[in-house]
Amino acid sequence: MKFDFDNIVPRRGSGSVKWDLPKEDGVIPMWVADMDFMTAPAVLEALEKRLRHGVFGYTRITGEYYRAVCSWFSRRHGLEMKPEWIIPISGVVPALTCIIRALVKPGEKVIFQSPAYNCFYTSVTKNGCTLSLNPLTYKDNTYTIDFEDLERRAADPDARVLILCNPHNPSGRVWTREELARTGEICLRNHLTVIADEIHCELTGPGHEYIPFASLSEEFLMNSVTCTSPSKAFNIAGLEIANITAADSSVREKIREAVSLCEQDNINSFGPAALIAAYDHGEEWLDELLRYIHGNYRHLLSFAADRLPGYDILPLEGTYLAWMNISRSGMKSDMLAEAILKEGKVMVNPGTMYGPGGEDFIRINLACPRKLLDEGLRRIAGVLDKLPER
């Protein structure tokens, strides 16, 4: 490989949420969704150049930024965008909150599939809106969308939007063209706007293709708002740069107003430089990263077959977050995650934090050097080995 993903970068003591939040000494953090890899060399070079300039005043977004975004999604994902559709913002979570504020009145309903990324819940409730959960169907170690339930929820006169997460966090599903089309048709018939959270869009495994929801048809493009960021794929979440894309001008202006009201329209000096470098010069690095992450996933499957029989790992179609069924343990995920932290000194996410349907799962972050992954898995297995036979 041209790039070294086996290099262990010391992060403890650097102000890292992932590494410094655990209070116990010697904890391996395999929880929050950031990677333990240095970002792409092209991004580092761009940041060094920006740093040497030495002045970090208020930053405006240039035409080069919009060109980089549009070019990336056109050549890599077949989505044709116009610069004027794009609203830069500090992150996808603030974006979701602003979009809901713009499009949904307090008391009205927001639909999304559960288990779901935990911030979906707070983005809805902080706006005074009501959750309408469309539980995913778990069968044969995978998830599918319950379209009958979705039809019923979409027909509710109080429902206004659907948050569609693709690739899905935490399950790792990458929705197929057919699943996306059926979802979109339901939303069109019931006059629901689709908010497509596609932050993990670059992180797909072999044989799986991320299809931008807005690329499926002109109707879907005009009936949707898309949230993207290079933060997950290039490990630059701390630079706080993301984009809202809305082709419908009236919807876009409502969102722009909400972004301004929430004071989310200021961008830091380094985010735009990092995005431009990632999208213009980071493709080769990203392709190697995807191969390395898939290698980590294969390593997890091999380890689980040998050391964790009965603990099913869902197919990792997208993201770098493995979703493991721990029902065999006889413990709910919050209790098991606590035991893994206390006894094994590994921090994972309990599935309970992702709402209904997550009780029997834990989420494991695989985006780390193989040596670190292997040690973390051995510790997890050591804790599970001590549980009573069931």
Side-chain angles (χ1 to χ4, degrees), residues 304-335:
D306 181 45
R307 292 290 310 278
L308 302 171
Y311 290 92
D312 291 331
I313 310 293
L314 270 73
L316 189 64
E317 300 176 359
T319 82
Y320 46 71
L321 306 164
W323 191 239
M324 184 170 110
N325 188 329
I326 50 88
S327 56
R328 183 178 182 273
S329 72
M331 301 173 68
K332 292 305 179 185
S333 63
D334 52 350
M335 296 176 60

Side-chain angles (χ1 to χ4, degrees), residues 92-102 119 122-124 126-127 262:
V92 167
V93 172
L96 291 171
T97 300
C98 291
I99 296 166
I100 292 169
R101 178 170 180 164
C119 289
T122 53
S123 288
V124 173
K126 283 180 179 178
N127 278 297
C262 293

Side-chain angles (χ1 to χ4, degrees), residues 162-211:
L162 166 74
I163 302 177
L164 179 68
C165 188
N166 185 38
H168 185 264
N169 176 18
S171 76
R173 274 298 318 272
V174 175
W175 304 119
T176 64
R177 185 177 299 273
E178 292 72 25
E179 288 169 318
L180 293 172
R182 189 170 178 184
T183 299
E185 291 297 338
I186 291 172
C187 291
L188 281 175
R189 284 198 302 273
N190 292 282
H191 310 289
L192 300 184
T193 301
V194 174
I195 305 173
D197 174 359
E198 299 179 355
I199 192 171
H200 291 276
C201 66
E202 312 303 340
L203 300 163
T204 56
H208 300 282
E209 179 189 6
Y210 151 69
I211 301 169

